[in-house]
């Protein structure tokens, strides 16, 4: 086996590991569509939205009534989240990728968390405000 083949097999292995980890992460978190989140927020006072995007992204657009803690501050701002300990925290970002990881982190910290499928892009596409 030459160096190119070895590199190729290592690359394929890393890609497979990445995909498997992503699937496991996806299955470990509850997901809601934008319509489900909108209905849940109207009916259930024990659900809140958490925007995990950057401050610059939030300045451009955000979901009304959502709280903001950037993704990179989730573990550092646990005290800020303690007031939501008894609520379901539905995380959102631009596309749903960072919020998936944030929801998983929150779940590991003992919070009841979920993810908004497709993030604010799907929310806006659904015409929700």
């Amino acid at each position: 086996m030459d160096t190119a083949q070895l590199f190729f097999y290592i690359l394929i292995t890393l890609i497979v590991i990445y995909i498997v980890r992503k699937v496991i992460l996806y299955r470990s978190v509850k997901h809601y569509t934008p319509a489900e989140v909108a209905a849940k927020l109207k009916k259930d006072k024990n659900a809140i939205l958490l925007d995990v995007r950057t401050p610059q992204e939030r300045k451009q657009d955000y979901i009304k009534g959502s709280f903001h803690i950037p993704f990179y501050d989730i573990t550092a701002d646990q005290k800020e989240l303690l007031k939501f300990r008894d609520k379901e925290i539905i995380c959102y970002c631009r596309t749903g990728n960072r919020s998936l990881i944030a929801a998983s982190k929150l779940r590991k910290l003992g919070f009841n968390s979920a993810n908004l499928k497709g993030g604010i892009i799907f929310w806006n596409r659904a015409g929700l405000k």
Side-chain angles (χ1 to χ4, degrees):
M1 184 180 315
D2 66 7
T3 307
Q5 287 176 319
L6 181 61
F7 177 75
F8 176 74
Y9 289 128
I10 290 172
L11 182 63
I12 294 298
T13 302
L14 291 174
I15 291 170
V16 168
I17 289 170
Y18 173 80
I19 292 170
V20 168
R21 288 187 69 199
K22 197 68 157 179
V23 167
I24 291 169
L25 179 64
Y26 188 84
R27 288 184 176 181
S28 72
V29 174
K30 190 184 312 179
H31 301 273
Y32 293 114
T33 65
E36 290 170 332
V37 170
K40 188 169 192 61
L41 292 172
K42 283 182 182 176
K43 291 180 194 172
D44 189 357
K45 299 299 177 201
N46 284 326
I48 63 145
L49 273 174
L50 177 64
D51 184 346
V52 299
R53 298 172 306 146
T54 65
Q56 293 81 13
E57 288 175 297
R58 183 156 173 98
K59 285 179 187 174
Q60 293 173 358
D61 190 19
Y62 64 93
I63 299 173
K64 189 176 178 180
S66 65
F67 293 88
H68 181 240
I69 298 177
F71 173 77
Y72 51 81
D73 287 339
I74 288 288
T75 52
D77 283 350
Q78 288 180 51
K79 291 178 185 174
E80 174 91 17
L81 291 168
L82 286 177
K83 60 186 171 190
F84 304 122
R85 175 67 76 183
D86 61 334
K87 298 183 183 289
E88 182 175 27
I89 302 171
I90 304 168
C91 301
Y92 78 91
C93 63
R94 183 173 178 268
T95 62
N97 192 36
R98 284 174 288 174
S99 57
L100 170 63
I101 297 167
S104 177
K105 282 183 180 184
L106 289 173
R107 197 173 276 299
K108 287 177 185 174
L109 294 170
F111 291 94
N112 180 13
S113 61
N115 182 43
L116 172 60
K117 284 184 189 177
I120 197 166
I121 288 177
F122 280 23
W123 180 270
N124 289 336
R125 195 176 292 162
L128 299 167
K129 294 291 172 194

